[in-house]
């Protein structure tokens, strides 16, 4: 009976809203990025339980982040007991878990192992170089702050920053270590949701228990897979300034994300990310398949 085909039925709404109407919406940096990128994918992955298993890229990133954190905490040292300066001293830690990362082919695993070595060496070089300019305050630091948007809505910002550092003037620098093969453009960095959210959270006291000064010097992406003139690629976002209407980019982004959640409107937005999306066959924006087949 065609009347029972779910693909032809009118839209329905759940009895309970996606988020309680009487409580502020809570957003992490990754959730904000996902909602702005493709609301449909965010809903299917995070709300409908459609998240896929850990991928090769995620395994790579998790491993590099874990080792970088241990180096920063001095939990891993060089054979002589001093600071680690060579990635060769870190490779035994890589090899101890390397077999747990799924690779499509043996040769791709060998290639990625060399990429891990290169990424770790870039991290070490950057880590020691920046130590002369800034003080490392915390790693894997939890951030949480409640912010009121220009339209009066409240949103709870939360997440974890890879590193919190203090510059010579006592201002906060939030660092996010990245292992993506495809860094954003500088134009995209200027409106980067994660960096903007980190800055806003710090301004509203997210690290007040660690550092009394809430001024932000910058938020940075350290692209561990990329070199620029022999040094790791660092993409910095200085503090955002209000536009002519008095609002900042991050405030508009948060308002859009909160609006999506409140209205429960989650449209599909085609982009280059569709190539790696697990829902492309059921996506109304791509036409790659049909929900009735």
């Amino acid at each position: 009976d065609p009347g029972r085909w779910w693909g032809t039925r009118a839209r329905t709404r759940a009895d309970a809203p996606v988020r309680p109407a009487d409580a502020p919406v809570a957003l992490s940096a990754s959730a904000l990025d996902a909602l702005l990128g493709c609301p449909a994918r965010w809903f299917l992955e995070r709300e409908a339980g459609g998240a896929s298993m850990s991928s090769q890229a995620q395994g790579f990133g998790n491993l590099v982040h874990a080792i970088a954190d241990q180096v920063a905490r001095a939990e891993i040292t060089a054979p002589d007991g001093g600071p680690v300066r060579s990635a060769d001293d870190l490779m035994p830690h890589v090899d101890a878990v390397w077999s747990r990362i799924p690779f499509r082919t043996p040769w791709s695993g060998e290639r990625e192992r060399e990429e891990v070595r290169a990424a770790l060496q870039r991290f070490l070089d950057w880590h020691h170089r920046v130590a002369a300019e800034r003080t490392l305050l915390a790693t894997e630091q939890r951030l949480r702050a409640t912010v009121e948007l220009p339209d009066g809505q409240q949103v709870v910002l939360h997440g974890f920053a890879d590193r919190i550092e203090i510059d010579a003037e006592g201002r906060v620098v939030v660092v996010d270590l990245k292992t993506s093969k495809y860094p954003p453009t500088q134009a995209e960095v200027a409106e980067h949701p994660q960096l903007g959210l980190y800055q806003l959270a710090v301004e509203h006291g997210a690290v007040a228990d660690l550092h009394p000064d809430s001024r932000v010097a910058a938020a940075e992406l350290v692209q561990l897979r990329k070199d620029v003139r022999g040094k790791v690629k660092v993409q910095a976002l200085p503090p955002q300034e209000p536009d002519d209407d008095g609002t900042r980019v991050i405030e508009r982004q948060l308002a859009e994300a909160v609006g999506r959640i409140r209205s429960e409107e989650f449209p599909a937005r085609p982009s280059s990310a569709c190539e790696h999306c697990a829902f492309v066959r059921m996506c109304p924006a791509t036409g790659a398949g049909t929900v009735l087949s």
Side-chain angles (χ1 to χ4, degrees):
D1 180 359
R4 299 179 60 85
W5 295 355
W6 69 268
T8 63
R9 293 181 181 179
R11 296 181 61 184
T12 60
R13 299 185 73 89
D15 294 333
V18 172
R19 294 291 183 274
D22 58 350
V25 171
L27 284 173
S28 67
S30 59
L32 175 61
D33 191 45
L35 267 166
L36 295 175
C38 181
R41 183 174 181 178
W42 171 84
F43 179 82
L44 292 170
E45 283 185 344
R46 300 179 181 234
E47 298 298 310
S52 58
M53 295 176 60
S54 179
S55 66
Q56 170 184 322
Q58 290 170 322
F60 184 110
N62 291 340
L63 177 57
V64 171
H65 276 79
I67 293 177
D69 182 51
Q70 289 180 291
V71 169
R73 294 172 182 266
E75 295 174 359
I76 297 178
T77 59
D80 62 3
V84 180
R85 294 186 179 274
S86 172
D88 290 338
D89 294 332
L90 300 176
M91 294 311 291
H93 300 278
V94 172
D95 293 334
V97 298
W98 194 245
S99 61
R100 303 178 194 175
I101 301 177
F103 292 100
R104 290 187 296 272
T105 62
W107 62 264
S108 64
E110 295 173 4
R111 182 190 62 193
E112 288 295 276
R113 184 178 179 278
E114 290 307 309
E115 286 290 324
V116 167
R117 183 197 298 272
L120 290 173
Q121 189 61 60
R122 292 187 191 100
F123 166 76
L124 290 172
D125 294 342
W126 170 84
H127 170 70
H128 292 297
R129 184 172 63 252
V130 80
E133 306 166 1
R134 304 195 296 240
T135 301
L136 178 61
L137 190 63
T139 64
E140 293 296 326
Q141 176 62 33
R142 183 176 183 179
L143 303 177
R144 187 175 182 87
T146 300
V147 174
E148 183 172 312
L149 300 179
D151 63 2
Q153 289 202 80
Q154 286 192 328
V155 57
V156 177
L157 312 180
H158 65 94
F160 288 86
D162 290 335
R163 293 166 66 108
I164 300 293
E165 301 177 346
I166 307 301
D167 72 0
E169 298 180 27
R171 300 173 300 176
V172 177
V173 180
V174 185
V175 178
D176 196 20
L177 304 177
K178 292 294 188 182
T179 56
S180 171
K181 295 180 180 180
Y182 309 104
T185 65
Q186 282 306 121
E188 291 170 335
V189 170
E191 299 188 356
H192 199 278
Q194 292 182 317
L195 296 184
L197 184 146
Y198 290 148
Q199 290 187 355
L200 195 61
V202 171
E203 290 175 7
H204 285 77
V207 297
D209 58 334
L210 298 175
H211 188 63
D213 195 336
S214 62
R215 291 180 302 154
V216 177
E220 297 179 346
L221 302 175
V222 179
Q223 301 289 350
L224 298 179
R225 280 186 181 250
K226 299 297 179 181
D227 282 311
V228 176
R229 293 186 292 276
K231 296 181 180 180
V232 69
K233 183 181 182 70
V234 178
Q235 298 175 296
L237 175 67
Q240 293 182 353
E241 297 293 336
D243 291 337
D244 293 339
D245 62 358
T247 61
R248 291 181 285 183
V249 170
I250 183 59
E251 293 170 332
R252 292 196 296 272
Q253 291 171 330
L254 287 168
E256 178 184 338
V258 171
R260 291 286 179 204
I261 291 174
R262 293 300 193 199
S263 67
E264 300 190 14
E265 296 285 341
F266 305 114
R269 288 181 176 167
S271 70
S272 58
C274 295
E275 299 175 7
H276 311 288
C277 180
F279 309 104
V280 67
R281 290 193 174 277
M282 58 183 292
C283 179
T286 62
T290 169
V291 295
L292 300 179
S293 60

